[in-house]
């Protein structure tokens, strides 16, 4: 007689697969919202039940044994079928539920993503929302995210689906004190003569997307006085009079209204940036993901126009 498949057995399989795909018990624990100890114990119980070692483990790394690789391959196929069946059923639900893991850029995520998803979680008690704010390009599939937010042009991808949420317009501004001391630049050539506060991440400095006299987009390189990897820090430096800054209009407008910054250039003279929601391509979209995308699509455009 076949051994019945229990929830504990399936749970052990899911933890095992996550441990393989995450590359470590610690990362698997984060994805599953468990402790590292709980992941280790679950894998140990699975090995004891199967009577084989699934991992070669040292203090620095882990790798699959031959038995572990064979078992992993079968588990992935089995879980994929279960997930497809659950997603098919879930796609017809009105009430989103479960854990939704979202990756969003740091400042944009705080301003435009977190308020929307916070309200969504409050409206749907069975929905748990985890948001990670980070400006690096996150691999949604590799790192186990359900949804990501991207600002800028999307590369082609067969494994990801996308929905445009709106256009982020940009502006160049400086503090009144800086303008009094150094003058007000009004052309691209004049901007090049001023001290810039530029965004740089992972050693890469971002140029400012501006339009030339023919309307063609070009990357403007100013004299960088400060290189920072956080938009809020760039805005703070501009307010302090350290130089001119290229900022999203929803952010720049706030400081213009308070009198802390003045607009030097905006609108048609600068290129806007597309904003997208992206998610792993699948036959059925879970209701938790679909509901979040719809909520963002309804709210974000108005925020971008602030």
């Amino acid at each position: 007689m076949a051994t019945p498949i229990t929830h504990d057995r399936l749970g052990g399989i899911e933890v095992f697969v996550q441990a393989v795909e995450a590359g470590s018990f610690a990362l698997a624990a984060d994805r599953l919202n468990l402790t590292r100890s709980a992941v280790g114990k679950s894998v140990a119980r699975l090995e004891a039940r199967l009577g084989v070692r699934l991992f070669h483990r040292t203090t620095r790394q882990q790798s699959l044994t031959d038995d572990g690789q064979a078992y992993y391959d079968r588990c992935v196929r089995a879980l994929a079928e279960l997930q497809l069946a659950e997603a098919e059923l879930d796609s017809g639900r009105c009430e989103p539920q479960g854990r939704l893991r979202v990756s969003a850029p740091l400042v944009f995520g705080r301003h435009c993503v977190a308020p929307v998803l916070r309200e969504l979680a409050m409206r749907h008690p069975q929905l748990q929302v985890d948001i990670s704010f980070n400006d690096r390009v996150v691999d949604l599939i590799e790192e186990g995210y359900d949804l990501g937010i991207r600002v800028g042009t999307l590369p082609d991808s067969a494994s990801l689906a996308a929905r445009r949420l709106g256009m982020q317009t940009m502006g160049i501004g400086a503090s009144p004190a800086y303008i009094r001391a150094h003058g007000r630049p009004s052309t691209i050539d004049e901007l090049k003569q001023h001290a810039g506060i530029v965004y740089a991440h992972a050693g890469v400095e971002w140029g400012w997307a501006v339009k030339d006299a023919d309307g063609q987009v070009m990357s403007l390189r100013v004299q960088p006085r400060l290189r920072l990897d956080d938009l809020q820090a760039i805005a703070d430096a501009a307010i302090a009079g350290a130089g001119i800054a290229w900022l999203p209009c929803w952010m720049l407008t706030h400081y213009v209204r308070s009198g802390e910054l003045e607009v030097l250039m905006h609108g048609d003279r600068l290129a806007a940036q597309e904003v997208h929601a992206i998610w792993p391509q699948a036959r059925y979209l879970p209701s938790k993901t679909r509901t979040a995308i719809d909520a963002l699509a309804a709210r974000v455009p108005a925020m971008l126009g602030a």
Side-chain angles (χ1 to χ4, degrees), residues 234-254:
I234 290 173
D236 292 342
I239 291 168
I244 61 176
W246 184 64
L247 294 166
C249 282
W250 56 261
M251 192 176 194
L252 178 59
T253 299
H254 171 77

Side-chain angles (χ1 to χ4, degrees), residues 29-303:
D30 181 59
R31 294 184 185 182
L32 294 167
N33 203 25
L34 298 171
T35 64
R36 187 189 184 285
S37 174
V39 171
K41 289 177 180 177
S42 179
V43 171
R45 286 195 298 269
L46 185 60
E47 289 179 324
R49 179 166 61 81
L50 296 173
V52 298
R53 289 191 64 83
L54 299 172
F55 288 104
H56 296 298
R57 290 190 289 275
T58 69
T59 56
R60 293 187 176 182
Q61 64 182 5
Q62 68 181 40
S63 60
L64 285 171
T65 63
D66 290 343
D67 287 332
Q69 183 64 58
Y71 190 62
Y72 168 76
D73 292 340
R74 288 182 175 272
C75 286
V76 167
R77 291 195 294 270
L79 285 178
E81 286 297 321
L82 287 172
Q83 289 166 357
L84 181 60
E86 290 176 0
E88 185 175 356
L89 292 172
D90 183 68
S91 65
R93 285 197 183 111
C94 295
E95 180 68 19
Q97 60 183 359
R99 186 184 183 206
L100 178 72
R101 299 190 71 225
V102 182
S103 170
L106 188 61
V107 177
F108 182 88
R110 289 175 179 170
H111 178 84
C112 297
V113 178
V116 177
L117 297 187
R118 181 178 64 237
E119 292 177 11
L120 195 69
M122 293 171 68
R123 287 201 306 271
H124 301 286
Q126 297 183 68
L127 180 65
Q128 303 168 9
V129 179
D130 293 359
I131 309 176
S132 174
F133 301 104
N134 198 309
D135 284 339
R136 70 181 176 85
V137 179
V138 171
D139 187 322
L140 299 187
I141 297 173
E142 180 69 22
E143 300 184 42
Y145 285 96
D146 302 295
L147 185 64
I149 307 301
R150 294 282 189 273
V151 178
T153 304
L154 289 179
D156 292 335
S157 174
S159 60
L160 297 174
R163 180 174 175 181
R164 200 176 87 159
L165 301 179
M167 297 293 291
Q168 176 174 265
T169 56
M170 305 298 294
I172 297 174
S175 70
Y178 178 88
I179 294 171
R180 285 195 300 271
H182 303 282
R184 180 187 294 274
S186 59
T187 67
I188 291 175
D189 286 338
E190 290 177 355
L191 287 172
K192 294 177 182 178
Q193 308 307 313
H194 283 260
I197 307 163
V198 301
Y199 183 92
H201 184 71
V204 179
E205 181 182 312
W206 288 22
W208 298 357
V210 301
K211 295 181 181 179
D212 61 21
D214 298 324
Q216 298 299 309
V217 177
M218 58 176 287
S219 180
L220 173 65
R221 298 286 178 175
V222 296
Q223 301 178 41
R225 172 172 288 172
L226 288 173
R227 295 182 179 89
L228 304 169
D229 68 354
D230 178 80
L231 282 179
Q232 186 60 59
I234 290 173
D236 292 342
I239 291 168
I244 61 176
W246 184 64
L247 294 166
C249 282
W250 56 261
M251 192 176 194
L252 178 59
T253 299
H254 171 77
Y255 295 112
V256 169
R257 288 171 179 165
S258 69
E260 295 170 284
L261 292 176
E262 294 184 16
V263 176
L264 302 175
M265 192 175 294
H266 72 294
D268 293 340
R269 302 180 70 180
L270 303 182
Q273 298 176 309
E274 292 186 325
V275 180
H276 288 90
I278 63 172
W279 61 93
Q281 184 74 264
R283 190 181 306 174
Y284 297 99
L285 187 62
S287 61
K288 63 181 181 181
T289 309
R290 185 183 65 252
T291 303
I293 295 168
D294 289 344
L296 290 165
R299 293 280 305 283
V300 167
M303 294 178 174

